[in-house]
């Protein structure tokens, strides 16, 4: 546990198990500062969600966890990203995967919807 900010994901997420969450959404936040502000506001008490941040471009572990949560619990994935080329490219990384990974990267994608 990292204080009010949540948990840091290990590099290998294959051994992680998830229980019933009681959440209705997965909220992916691009910026760490926005993520921390939302944590300080305890947003999950108003909007039952699992919040995740990749602190910019997400690592494979973050994308895998988001994809698994979406698939296992049938939760919609919502994203808060900047409206600039970098923010949109990060959004597309969650949605379509990384070009460097080729076809392998598709298994770490999710049907993320952009909130803004």
């Amino acid at each position: 546990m990292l204080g009010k900010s949540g948990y840091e994901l290990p590099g290998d997420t294959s051994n992680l198990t998830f229980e019933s969450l009681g959440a209705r959404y997965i909220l992916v936040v691009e910026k760490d500062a926005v993520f921390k502000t939302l944590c300080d506001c305890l947003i999950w008490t108003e909007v039952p969600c699992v919040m995740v941040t990749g602190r910019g471009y997400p690592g494979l572990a973050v994308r895998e966890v988001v994809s698994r949560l979406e698939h296992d619990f049938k939760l919609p994935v919502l994203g808060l990203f900047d409206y600039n080329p970098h923010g949109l490219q990060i959004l597309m990384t969650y949605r379509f995967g990384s070009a460097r990974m080729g076809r392998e990267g598709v298994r770490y994608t999710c049907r993320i919807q952009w909130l803004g």
Side-chain angles (χ1 to χ4, degrees), residues 69 75 90:
L69 289 172
L75 296 172
I90 293 168

Side-chain angles (χ1 to χ4, degrees), residues 32-93:
D32 190 48
V34 174
F35 179 83
K36 288 179 180 178
T37 300
L38 293 173
C39 286
D40 289 342
C41 295
L42 304 174
I43 191 168
W44 54 84
T45 61
E46 299 294 322
V47 180
C49 64
V50 174
M51 283 193 355
V52 177
T53 184
R55 297 180 182 152
Y57 284 93
L60 189 57
V62 173
R63 289 187 289 148
E64 181 181 12
V65 166
V66 171
S67 178
R68 283 178 54 196
L69 289 172
E70 176 192 37
H71 180 265
D72 293 351
F73 296 101
K74 309 291 189 250
L75 296 172
V77 182
L78 308 175
L80 288 174
F81 298 92
D82 288 346
Y83 184 63
N84 62 32
H86 291 289
L88 295 177
Q89 189 168 7
I90 293 168
L91 172 69
M92 295 296 112
T93 301

